């Protein structure tokens, strides 16, 4: 079924892509500044593109193997939908494309931002933010375009069933879920690989350059400087773009699948269709309103960090308020059952996102006391800085966890009509709350992608010696970027929690399809009751598989899932440590062997440092990423459906809290260093500064590698479980 209102979705996606192209062209018209500024920008751009090409080669080989596996499952054993191999490829392709386009824009924007900062702070902010908006608009535009394409295609090729007309939309939505695995797989490689790359370079540059040699950050005498700037783009732009692309698509697709499932038993195809397209329409309107918010961002010349944060808040808050109002209009126009309270579920998701963002800002910005206390801890050395940061990170988990827990309960109750027994609509409420949180992703991601652009602009200004006034402006933009990046990571993690719950519920729907595919048509319970599978509810499946805390298979799965979060973090942290060790040795070697580097008479070998980061990232990213794919498959083959559900619950709960801890601790350490560099507590070069640099170095893999990768781990394990549901129900040991 397709009605005229559906076409709002692809039109909104094309609008987003068109405006992204407009912002890109406007940015390209600006000058890169001096010849030296353009040269440095070209080095960063070439390094970033070279890395992405290598990464895509590795990812392509993994995708080929997985596509062959899916094809065998689909056409050989008949336990998989025939569309899955193709859908998987398109998800991965668009996720990678979103990251690539965003990073390409960022590498062209950094020098132009630095040059604009020579004129005014506001002009620098405008170029950096609107270049970041290219990433935001590309992600939401490509995401909705991919979803629209698959819905139209599957609607035209999947026949309707006369006996059960609601079955068609269930098949369409569960099939569409599978391209989310392609997006998640690509996103994990991008996040892990980019995170290892950027932190290897950053740690090497900081430990040897700032601590040992006593030279400023981004000093052209530091051999790791170019690699560090490249890393900002491949990790925080390409990685974040791919990450939030799959979050965005995953939340919409999971909610659509839950909407289809909610009305299977009723036979009401019209209401089922409305429940399916509702999240798509909310996302589409969110695009338009994000665009309005983007145009509202501007600032004054002498703005403080708080002023700059307020400038960005004007745009994001305007978009949030407008989408909140519009949601009621959208659902009223659809005449969805219980539309008012379902809209309240969407508002709940929006509010949770805002609370997480504000909480992250409070705990990570140097404008507030928590981060300032970490700086003050530097008076007694690096050890107390590290202890303070770990303590802050742990404390900072409380507000986001309480917010998400409250959001889950409220969104469930609103959508279910305040009836805990109405599980199907309650779960739909949780899913649409995740859509609400991500509905303003166009502007939210713009504020996040802005960060590395501003960081690179500061590096360009330092290397080209543009003067104190310009550097002051770029430092202000960079400090703002650190906070917005931390906020973006908190937002991504929060959305992962709600999306993960929606995907967990969708897993049951895929199990239903898998059972039908292998020829089982009836659920037979221990008490003799029989229910046709296509009429069975979510609760029926929970009873059938005995999904309770007393089931040892569920408990085993939960422990394995919790372990996965810590194992994954350990692997990625050690990967950064090994790659950073090679970088430290190389920077020391160049300082030792290349005469005249520190006096400015010698030329560092930037290319060698770029090569070390590239090789380290390519090598180290493979095992952790493959582990995330293998774990749900092996758990399903051993413990069956109940074990997989336990695995997903354990991974979601522990991974969510651990990710917040790591992201906030890392962001606070980074800005504690920035606070000292703003001429507080002795300023640059003092003992306090050196102590905070060590803290920042510890925090780098926390906030940019392990922490942000966890939210993808949560969703990828769910996506793999969904795609492999047919295999799990067909073969399992217990």
């Amino acid at each position: 079924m397709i009605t005229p209102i559906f076409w709002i979705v692809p039109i909104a996606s094309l609008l987003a892509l068109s405006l992204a192209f407009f912002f890109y062209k406007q940015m390209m018209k600006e000058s890169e500044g001096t010849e030296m500024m353009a040269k440095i920008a070209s080095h960063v751009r070439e390094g970033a593109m070279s890395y992405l090409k290598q990464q895509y080669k590795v990812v392509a080989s993994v995708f080929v193997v997985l596509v062959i596996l899916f094809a065998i499952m689909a056409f050989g054993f008949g336990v998989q939908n025939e569309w899955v191999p193709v859908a998987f490829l398109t998800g991965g392709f668009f996720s990678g494309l979103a990251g690539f386009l965003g990073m390409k824009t960022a590498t062209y924007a950094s020098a132009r931002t630095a040059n604009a900062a020579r004129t005014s702070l506001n002009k620098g902010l405008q170029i950096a933010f609107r270049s970041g908006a290219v990433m935001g608009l590309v992600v939401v535009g490509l995401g909705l375009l991919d979803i629209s394409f698959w819905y139209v295609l599957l609607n035209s090729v999947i026949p309707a069933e006369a006996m059960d007309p609601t079955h068609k939309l269930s098949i369409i939505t569960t099939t569409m879920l599978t391209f989310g695995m392609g997006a998640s797989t690509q996103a994990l490689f991008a996040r892990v690989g980019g995170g290892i790359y950027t932190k290897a370079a950053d740690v090497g540059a900081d430990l040897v350059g700032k601590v040992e040699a006593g030279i400023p950050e981004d000093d052209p005498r530091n051999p790791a400087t170019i690699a560090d700037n490249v890393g900002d783009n491949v990790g925080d732009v390409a990685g974040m773009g791919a990450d939030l692309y799959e979050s965005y698509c995953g939340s919409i697709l999971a909610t659509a699948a839950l909407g289809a499932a909610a009305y299977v038993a009723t036979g009401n195809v019209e209401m089922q269709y409305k429940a399916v397209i509702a999240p798509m329409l909310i996302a589409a309107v969110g695009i338009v309103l994000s665009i309005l918010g983007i145009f509202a961002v501007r600032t004054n010349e002498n703005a403080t960090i708080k002023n700059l944060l307020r400038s960005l808040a004007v745009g994001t808050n305007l978009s949030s308020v407008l989408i909140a109002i519009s949601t009621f209009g959208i659902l009223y126009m659809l005449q969805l059952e219980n539309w008012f309270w379902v809209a309240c579920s969407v508002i709940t998701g929006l509010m949770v996102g805002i609370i997480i963002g504000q909480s992250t800002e409070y705990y990570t910005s140097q404008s507030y006391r928590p981060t300032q206390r970490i700086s003050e801890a530097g008076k007694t050395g690096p050890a107390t800085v590290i202890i303070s940061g770990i303590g802050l990170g742990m404390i900072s988990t409380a507000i986001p966890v309480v917010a998400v827990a409250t959001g889950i309960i409220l969104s469930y109750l609103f959508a279910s009509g305040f009836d805990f027994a109405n599980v199907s609509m309650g779960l739909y409420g949780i899913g649409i709350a995740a859509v609400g949180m991500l509905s303003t992703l166009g502007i939210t991601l713009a504020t996040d992608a802005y960060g590395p652009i501003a960081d690179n602009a500061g590096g360009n200004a330092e290397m080209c010696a543009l003067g104190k006034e310009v550097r002051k402006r770029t430092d202000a933009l960079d400090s703002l970027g650190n906070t917005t990046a931390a906020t973006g990571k908190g937002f991504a993690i929060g959305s992962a929690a709600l999306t993960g719950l929606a995907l967990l519920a969708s897993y049951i729907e895929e199990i239903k399809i898998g059972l039908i595919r292998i020829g089982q048509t009836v659920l037979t319970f221990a008490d003799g009751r029989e229910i046709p599978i296509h009429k069975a509810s979510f609760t029926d499946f929970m009873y059938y598989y005995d999904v309770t805390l007393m089931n040892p298979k569920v408990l085993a799965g939960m422990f394995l899932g919790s372990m996965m979060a810590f194992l994954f973090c350990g692997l990625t942290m050690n990967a950064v440590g090994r790659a950073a060790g090679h970088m430290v040795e190389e920077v020391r070697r160049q300082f030792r062997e290349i005469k005249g580097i520190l006096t400015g008479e010698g030329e560092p070998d930037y290319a060698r440092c770029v090569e070390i980061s590239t090789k380290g990232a390519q090598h180290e990213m493979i095992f952790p990423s493959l582990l995330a794919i293998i774990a749900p498959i092996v758990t399903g083959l051993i413990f069956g459906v109940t074990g997989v559900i336990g695995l997903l619950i354990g991974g979601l709960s522990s991974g969510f809290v651990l990710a917040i801890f790591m992201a906030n601790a890392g962001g606070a350490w980074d800005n504690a260093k920035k606070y000292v560099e703003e001429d507080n507590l002795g300023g640059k070069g003092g003992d306090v500064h050196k102590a905070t640099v060590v803290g920042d170095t510890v925090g780098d893999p926390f906030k940019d590698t392990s922490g942000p990768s966890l939210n993808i781990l949560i969703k990828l394990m769910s996506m793999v479980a969904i795609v492999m549901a047919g295999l799990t129900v067909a073969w399992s040991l217990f």
Side-chain angles (χ1 to χ4, degrees):
M1 180 185 291
I2 294 179
T3 58
I5 197 171
F6 168 80
W7 297 106
I8 293 174
V9 180
I11 290 170
S13 71
L14 293 173
L15 174 64
L17 294 172
S18 301
L19 195 66
F21 182 71
F22 170 77
F23 282 151
Y24 175 77
K25 297 300 289 186
Q26 288 295 109
M27 178 271 295
M28 291 296 290
K29 290 178 182 177
E30 299 290 337
S31 170
E32 282 195 298
T34 66
E35 185 179 340
M36 182 65 175
M37 293 171 72
K39 182 181 177 183
I40 289 168
S42 69
H43 282 315
V44 173
R45 188 157 50 249
E46 287 166 10
M49 292 302 174
S50 174
Y51 170 78
L52 271 196
K53 286 178 182 176
Q54 292 298 318
Q55 178 177 279
Y56 288 159
K57 286 179 182 177
V58 174
V59 176
S61 61
V62 174
F63 267 68
V64 167
V65 173
L66 289 173
V67 166
I68 293 171
L69 174 63
F70 295 152
I72 293 171
M73 289 172 61
F75 299 101
F77 299 108
V79 295
Q80 185 64 273
N81 190 299
E82 291 83 357
W83 290 98
V84 166
V86 182
F88 174 75
L89 282 175
T90 64
F93 173 77
F94 279 110
S95 177
L97 182 63
F100 173 81
L101 293 174
M103 195 194 73
K104 183 179 179 181
T105 304
T107 57
Y108 277 108
S110 57
R112 289 170 169 83
T113 300
N115 189 55
R118 297 166 77 185
T119 306
S120 74
L121 182 65
N122 184 56
K123 191 171 181 184
L125 176 66
Q126 291 281 330
I127 292 176
F129 181 72
R130 291 192 179 181
S131 299
V134 173
M135 165 66 88
L137 293 171
V138 162
V139 165
V140 296
L142 289 178
L144 277 190
L145 190 65
D146 200 10
I147 290 169
S148 304
F149 167 77
W150 275 104
Y151 185 83
V152 172
L153 176 65
L154 294 173
N155 183 70
S156 62
V157 298
I158 294 175
E161 293 187 21
M163 297 293 292
D164 186 10
T166 58
H167 190 56
K168 177 176 179 175
L169 272 175
S170 295
I171 294 291
I172 290 172
T173 52
T174 51
T175 303
M176 287 170 68
L177 262 175
T178 59
F179 86 69
M181 182 184 167
S184 295
T185 304
Q186 162 60 31
L188 190 63
F189 277 100
R191 253 310 187 192
V192 173
I196 294 170
Y197 184 111
T198 184
K199 294 306 106 180
D202 202 359
V203 170
D206 283 356
L207 283 183
V208 185
K210 290 196 302 192
V211 177
E212 295 181 9
I215 59 178
E217 188 170 7
D218 298 317
D219 193 296
R221 294 171 292 176
N222 194 326
T225 295
I226 296 295
D228 186 12
N229 284 312
V230 170
D232 289 334
N233 289 287
V234 300
D236 290 338
V237 180
M240 176 61 85
D243 176 357
L244 284 172
Y245 176 90
E246 62 95 22
S247 285
Y248 186 70
C249 292
S251 67
I252 296 170
L253 294 171
T255 306
L258 291 171
Y263 289 95
V264 165
T266 66
N268 190 340
V269 179
E270 184 181 354
M271 196 58 64
Q272 186 189 37
Y273 169 75
K274 291 175 180 179
V276 166
I277 68 165
M280 303 180 195
L281 288 172
I282 292 168
V285 173
I287 287 177
V288 178
L289 300 177
S290 289
I291 291 169
L292 293 177
I294 289 167
F295 281 106
V297 175
R298 59 189 73 248
T299 191
N300 299 317
E301 177 54 34
N302 296 315
T304 64
I305 296 297
K306 280 191 174 181
N307 296 142
L308 289 169
L309 282 168
R310 199 174 296 119
S311 298
L312 293 185
V314 167
T316 53
N317 292 340
L318 176 65
S319 297
S320 297
V321 170
L322 291 174
I323 190 64
I325 297 168
S326 302
T327 296
F328 287 94
I330 294 166
L331 297 180
Y332 173 76
M333 183 174 62
L334 278 177
Q335 285 297 295
L336 186 69
E337 273 183 2
N338 196 28
W339 66 268
F340 180 84
W341 292 109
V342 172
C344 289
S345 293
V346 178
I347 306 306
T348 300
L350 268 171
M351 292 304 300
V352 170
I354 291 169
I355 291 168
I356 290 175
Q358 292 299 309
S359 169
T360 304
E361 181 184 320
Y362 174 72
Y363 282 111
T364 61
S365 174
Q366 68 265 45
S367 301
Y368 301 100
R369 284 298 298 163
T371 294
Q372 292 173 9
R373 290 192 193 101
I374 295 177
S375 303
E376 291 164 3
K379 295 175 182 177
T380 50
T384 46
V385 169
I386 293 167
I387 292 169
S388 297
I390 290 173
L392 179 145
M394 289 178 173
I395 292 169
S396 72
T397 62
I399 294 174
V401 169
V402 171
V404 167
T406 305
I408 289 168
I409 297 297
L410 288 178
S411 58
Y412 184 102
L413 286 175
F414 288 149
S416 67
F418 299 90
D419 180 8
F420 274 111
N422 189 0
V423 177
S424 57
M425 282 305 297
L427 292 172
Y428 180 73
I430 294 173
I432 210 161
V435 174
M437 185 184 287
L438 291 166
S439 60
T440 56
L441 185 62
I443 188 169
T444 306
L445 187 50
T447 63
D448 191 67
Y450 152 88
I453 295 172
D455 192 357
N456 271 212
N460 197 299
E462 179 70 36
M463 284 184 272
C464 296
L466 295 185
K468 287 186 178 180
E469 186 61 29
V470 177
R471 189 61 179 151
K472 182 181 176 183
R473 290 169 182 158
T474 57
D475 279 349
L477 294 172
D478 185 20
S479 294
L480 174 66
N482 283 332
T483 302
T484 60
T487 303
K489 291 180 179 74
F491 186 82
I493 294 161
S495 67
L498 292 178
T499 303
L501 277 172
L503 288 171
L504 180 59
S506 298
Y507 175 62
I508 298 300
E509 286 306 305
E510 193 64 42
I511 291 295
K512 181 190 294 186
I513 303 294
L515 288 171
I516 294 171
R517 194 172 285 118
I518 63 172
Q520 186 173 336
T521 57
V522 177
L523 295 181
T524 304
F525 295 84
D527 60 3
R529 287 185 303 125
E530 292 188 347
I531 299 177
I533 284 179
H534 69 280
K535 295 291 185 183
S537 67
F538 185 90
T539 307
D540 291 329
F541 277 94
M542 293 293 101
Y543 281 128
Y544 179 75
Y545 283 108
D546 188 27
V547 182
T548 66
L549 286 176
M550 294 300 102
N551 188 328
K553 290 185 285 184
V554 175
L555 285 172
M558 288 174 67
F559 277 105
L560 289 171
S562 299
M563 176 208 71
M564 278 294 299
F566 285 87
L567 177 61
F568 185 81
C569 283
L571 290 169
T572 51
M573 291 280 288
N574 283 336
V576 170
R578 285 189 293 269
H582 294 308
M583 186 64 72
V584 167
E585 289 172 5
E586 175 60 22
V587 176
R588 285 172 176 167
R589 184 194 67 80
Q590 292 198 31
F591 280 156
R592 189 172 59 248
E593 296 180 5
I594 301 176
K595 304 299 181 185
I597 285 185
L598 290 175
T599 59
E601 298 167 1
E603 180 78 14
D605 186 357
Y606 299 122
R608 176 60 183 156
C609 291
V610 170
E611 184 185 344
I612 287 172
S613 269
T614 301
K615 286 184 176 178
Q618 298 297 321
H619 175 72
E620 297 284 1
M621 74 178 182
I622 296 173
F623 181 66
S625 302
L626 289 179
L627 186 65
I629 297 171
I630 293 168
I633 300 174
V634 174
T635 303
L637 290 174
I638 298 173
F639 297 115
V641 172
T642 48
V644 172
I645 291 173
L647 178 83
L648 299 182
I649 293 170
L652 175 60
S653 55
S654 61
F656 170 57
V657 180
L658 185 58
I660 291 173
F661 155 67
M662 299 188 85
N664 286 355
W669 274 318
D670 194 350
N671 280 335
K673 176 198 68 177
K674 293 286 184 189
Y675 181 71
V676 177
E677 290 174 347
E678 293 169 356
D679 292 327
N680 297 299
L681 302 170
K684 291 183 181 179
D687 290 340
V688 176
H689 182 232
K690 289 180 178 179
T692 55
V693 169
V694 174
D696 178 36
T697 304
V698 174
D700 276 337
F702 270 52
K703 68 180 173 65
D704 289 328
T705 308
S706 301
S709 298
L710 278 170
N711 61 345
I712 309 174
L713 175 75
I714 292 167
K715 290 169 292 185
L716 179 58
M717 288 200 300
S718 300
M719 286 293 185
V720 173
I722 287 169
V723 172
M724 294 295 178
L727 186 69
T728 303
V729 296
W731 298 299
S732 65
L733 186 61
F734 299 110

